Amino acid sequence: MTFRWALLLPGFTAALVGAAGLARQSGPMRGVADAAQARVDYQLKCQGCHRIDGGGDDRSNPPMRDMVARFLTVPGGREFLARVPGVATVDLDDQRLANLVNWTIYTFDPQHVPKDFRPYTSVELGRLRQNPLLLERAETRARLVARLTLAGRHGDIMK
């Protein structure tokens, strides 16, 4: 019932996002056709595990806040973001998923979005999500975080 109220009351939804301290992207979010839809999709499909502010839980649901865009800077990181189970298997069509993933990058980690960032497209996500990372997700993430650490692109990245 709470979700229905949040969906019916855009002001309430905006207040929740504001209260969570989400970054407000200044300027356009390339690849985000509908930020309001992306916000609702995040609330319904992602926030239960990654929390309203993208902070995760440090165990099984890694943080996105101040982290997610960093994966775009290491080989294999872009593909990883599209192949994690929550992205690859979510019940959204590829276009809506591209909108959500791009919104997530700009919302939770705007300071680390590479200047040459190419927004995800529905075609790219459609291809990558056919091959989800299931059992190897944690190992793949750890390897990418190690690359970030070696490259010196990290302040205090989660384990």
Side-chain angles (χ1 to χ4, degrees), residues 51-145:
R51 301 198 175 158
I52 193 169
D53 67 350
D57 70 9
D58 297 340
R59 289 179 308 279
S60 61
N61 302 299
M64 289 189 285
R65 185 182 59 223
D66 301 326
M67 180 64 198
V68 68
R70 294 174 193 242
F71 284 102
L72 300 169
T73 67
V74 293
R78 182 180 181 90
E79 295 79 6
F80 171 77
L81 293 179
R83 294 178 58 211
V84 295
V87 173
T89 64
V90 71
D91 60 344
L92 294 175
D93 66 49
D94 295 337
Q95 185 62 46
R96 212 155 129 190
L97 182 59
N99 188 63
L100 172 58
V101 171
N102 292 323
W103 178 87
T104 300
I105 289 166
Y106 284 113
T107 299
F108 294 113
D109 199 13
Q111 68 276 20
H112 296 114
V113 175
K115 293 195 185 315
D116 63 348
F117 172 59
R118 290 177 297 105
Y120 286 93
T121 65
S122 59
V123 172
E124 179 183 19
L125 283 173
R127 179 178 49 81
L128 290 170
R129 70 192 298 206
Q130 289 178 21
N131 208 5
L133 294 170
L134 300 174
L135 299 176
E136 67 276 22
R137 182 207 52 85
E139 179 183 321
T140 301
R141 184 180 188 284
R143 188 172 55 252
L144 292 169
V145 168

Side-chain angles (χ1 to χ4, degrees), residues 37-50:
Q37 181 65 61
R39 183 180 304 116
V40 170
D41 286 341
Y42 180 81
Q43 290 171 330
L44 296 175
K45 307 295 182 180
C46 311
Q47 145 179 325
C49 295
H50 290 285

